[in-house]
Amino acid sequence: MAKPPHTGDPITFAKAATEALWSYDTRNASRAEHLSGLKAWMTGEKSYRDWKSVRGQVPGKALWSRMHDNAQRATASVDEGHLPEAFKTAMAQDPGAITQAYVYAVTVTGKHSISWKKGGSGAEPRQVTLAVQCRPDRDCALSGVLPEVAP
């Protein structure tokens, strides 16, 4: 799994984090190893860390095992990332609100491509809204995955 980028830009970070969330290779990594790789992307601030929402993006143990049996792997291509309109409106109404948590909502769109043994493959467009923490004095980190996509 790729390492988190060194950036203070929430959109750049969210695009990279989305690629990490949507990419896996069951031939080379167990579910536990994949989850461990994702933990490296998370903020260390427990009050702003929603690990359950990130873990929920990863198939469960039984499904991961079946995916492994089929040598399933996936890659992501990211097309675009942006701050949702509702987030921009809230920031305009109260610009100082961000200064407590420094958590930004970022919506990312792209494509999830899957392949498996014997040449099987498929792809689908996807989108997700991530909560990304970008404090001024450190690199961005993942806070969580929002339950719904914000346009």
Side-chain angles (χ1 to χ4, degrees), residues 4-149:
H6 295 289
T7 183
D9 178 4
I11 294 173
T12 298
F13 182 87
K15 290 165 78 174
T18 298
E19 287 183 9
L21 279 171
W22 292 349
S23 300
Y24 58 83
D25 189 339
T26 65
R27 301 169 304 171
N28 300 320
S30 68
R31 180 178 182 271
E33 290 167 329
H34 184 71
L35 288 169
S36 178
L38 288 175
K39 278 187 179 178
W41 290 75
M42 298 296 296
T43 180
E45 295 183 48
K46 290 184 179 167
S47 55
Y48 302 115
R49 180 182 181 138
D50 183 5
W51 172 241
K52 185 177 179 181
S53 70
V54 174
R55 188 182 67 227
Q57 299 294 305
V58 177
K61 290 178 184 178
L63 180 54
W64 190 276
S65 177
R66 285 192 299 255
M67 290 165 42
H68 172 75
D69 292 344
N70 287 307
Q72 187 169 317
R73 58 216 173 271
T75 58
S77 59
V78 170
D79 297 326
E80 183 268 339
H82 67 273
L83 301 176
E85 287 304 316
F87 181 80
K88 289 193 273 188
T89 299
M91 290 301 301
Q93 291 173 351
D94 186 1
I98 194 82
T99 61
Q100 180 178 346
Y102 286 96
V103 174
Y104 298 79
V106 182
T107 297
V108 178
T109 60
K111 184 169 79 171
H112 187 234
S113 300
I114 303 170
S115 58
W116 53 91
K117 66 183 177 183
K118 298 184 182 177
S121 65
E124 66 180 353
R126 278 193 174 180
Q127 55 184 350
V128 66
T129 301
L130 304 179
V132 176
Q133 185 182 50
C134 296
R135 291 208 179 269
D137 59 341
R138 59 186 103 140
D139 290 332
C140 294
L142 185 60
S143 287
V145 178
L146 276 64
E148 294 183 20
V149 174

